[in-house]
Amino acid sequence: MRARELTGRTALWIFLLAFAFITLVPVVITILGSFKNNMELTTGATFLPDSWQFSNYAEAWQQANFSTYTVNSLIVSLSTVAGTLLVSSMAAYVVDRMDFAGKKIYVSLQAFTMFVAVGAVVLRPQFDLMVKLHLHSSLWGVILILISAHASIFFILLSFMKGIPRELDEAARIDGSSLSRTFWTIILPLLGPGLGVGALFTFRGAWNEYLLPLVFTMTKPELQTLTVGLANLKYGISAASQTHYMMAGACLSILPILVAYVFANKSFMQMTAGSLKG
């Protein structure tokens, strides 16, 4: 048994190390490439930069108009997170705590939408809908579409919701608390870990979204997000490739995601244990 256990642990560590290597190597190459000049990246002759080009970050910030595009990306991402968590948590609460006609159909439709990509396949009808709402040339059209793709977050919060004791609802009902008050004052605070996970996934998806902001901001370049502006770094004024600036810009765009991971990681440690006494 000890030999099998040792073999299993060894195989697990080999798998984890291999997975970490495959995941981290592209990140390391990108970071090192952001300090190289374009000639070094084109030839690929060296792993470390011959001379560290720290000016790449300043050039990427200026050429991509990072300050404006970062604000636009934050508006889209944070608004999408707030809207998605609000809609998903309320829907998960009602589905888990209440019985109503068409409940199974609603859950089935939510599951079905997870197999419909929010991308090129449904882009035209989404754009036509936003045209009718006069939101086809603003970031709010992008935000509404991203919020509508909340099925995965709904099921994540639904699983967390099932772990919250129903006795809390019954105790609140006895004390005269309404359904909405019970949700906002009791259930929602206990959903902290689930909200953290949902916020992280939603923020990452909205921050990395490229196609929707590209289409909805074609007539208003000042509303472009960071991913769209980063793609504009590919070629300079003379149509020459600027891979080194793209890599520097990519490293800058990763920073908000890392910050989101740090804040969301704190919520993972929260527990609902101790919410009931006796």
Side-chain angles (χ1 to χ4, degrees):
M1 293 297 294
R2 291 183 178 179
R4 290 183 179 179
E5 183 178 353
L6 180 61
T7 303
R9 289 184 178 180
T10 303
L12 178 61
W13 275 106
I14 292 175
F15 171 77
L16 293 176
L17 290 174
F19 184 80
F21 178 80
I22 295 173
T23 303
L24 293 177
V25 164
V27 178
V28 173
I29 293 176
T30 301
I31 294 175
L32 293 178
S34 66
F35 292 103
K36 296 180 180 180
N37 57 46
N38 208 33
M39 182 64 69
E40 289 182 86
L41 286 173
T42 303
T43 58
T46 60
F47 180 72
L48 295 174
D50 288 336
S51 60
W52 295 78
Q53 304 292 328
F54 293 96
S55 60
N56 289 347
Y57 285 85
E59 290 293 333
W61 183 273
Q62 294 178 359
Q63 290 193 27
N65 198 10
F66 262 54
S67 57
T68 300
Y69 295 158
T70 299
V71 172
N72 293 338
S73 290
L74 287 174
I75 292 174
V76 171
S77 301
L78 295 178
S79 299
T80 302
V81 168
T84 299
L85 294 183
L86 177 63
V87 173
S88 301
S89 60
M90 294 176 68
Y93 178 63
V94 172
V95 168
D96 184 59
R97 293 300 203 259
M98 300 180 63
D99 292 324
F100 54 89
K103 177 178 177 179
K104 293 183 178 179
I105 297 177
Y106 174 78
V107 175
S108 299
L109 288 175
Q110 286 277 27
F112 175 76
T113 58
M114 296 178 64
F115 299 96
V116 179
V118 181
V121 177
V122 294
L123 184 58
R124 179 55 188 269
Q126 288 174 340
F127 186 79
D128 291 340
L129 178 60
M130 291 302 114
V131 169
K132 294 181 179 180
L133 296 176
H134 304 288
L135 296 174
H136 60 286
S137 59
S138 71
L139 294 177
W140 289 111
V142 177
I143 293 170
L144 287 178
I145 293 175
L146 292 177
I147 291 175
S148 66
H150 67 272
S152 59
I153 308 302
F154 163 76
F155 284 107
I156 290 175
L157 294 182
L158 183 60
S159 63
F160 275 91
M161 190 75 68
K162 293 182 181 298
I164 299 177
R166 291 177 178 268
E167 286 80 358
L168 291 175
D169 300 67
E170 297 174 0
R173 193 179 303 113
I174 293 174
D175 291 338
S177 177
S178 62
L179 183 68
S180 60
R181 185 179 179 183
T182 301
F183 171 75
W184 289 109
T185 60
I186 299 177
I187 302 301
L188 197 61
L190 294 177
L191 272 180
L195 293 174
V197 174
L200 177 60
F201 290 159
T202 304
F203 184 88
R204 184 187 64 182
W207 184 268
N208 293 329
E209 180 63 37
Y210 173 75
L211 188 58
L212 284 174
L214 174 66
V215 172
F216 280 77
T217 60
M218 282 185 175
T219 58
K220 293 186 177 181
E222 68 276 8
L223 294 179
Q224 290 180 350
T225 58
L226 196 56
T227 52
V228 180
L230 184 60
N232 295 334
L233 284 174
K234 185 175 183 180
Y235 298 109
I237 300 177
S238 60
S241 177
Q242 300 184 123
T243 310
H244 55 317
Y245 292 156
M246 284 195 68
M247 288 192 172
C251 291
L252 290 173
S253 66
I254 291 175
L255 294 179
I257 299 294
L258 295 178
V259 173
Y261 269 98
V262 171
F263 280 97
N265 184 58
K266 295 180 180 179
S267 66
F268 295 161
M269 304 303 296
Q270 297 178 5
M271 302 294 291
T272 59
S275 59
L276 289 175
K277 295 183 179 180

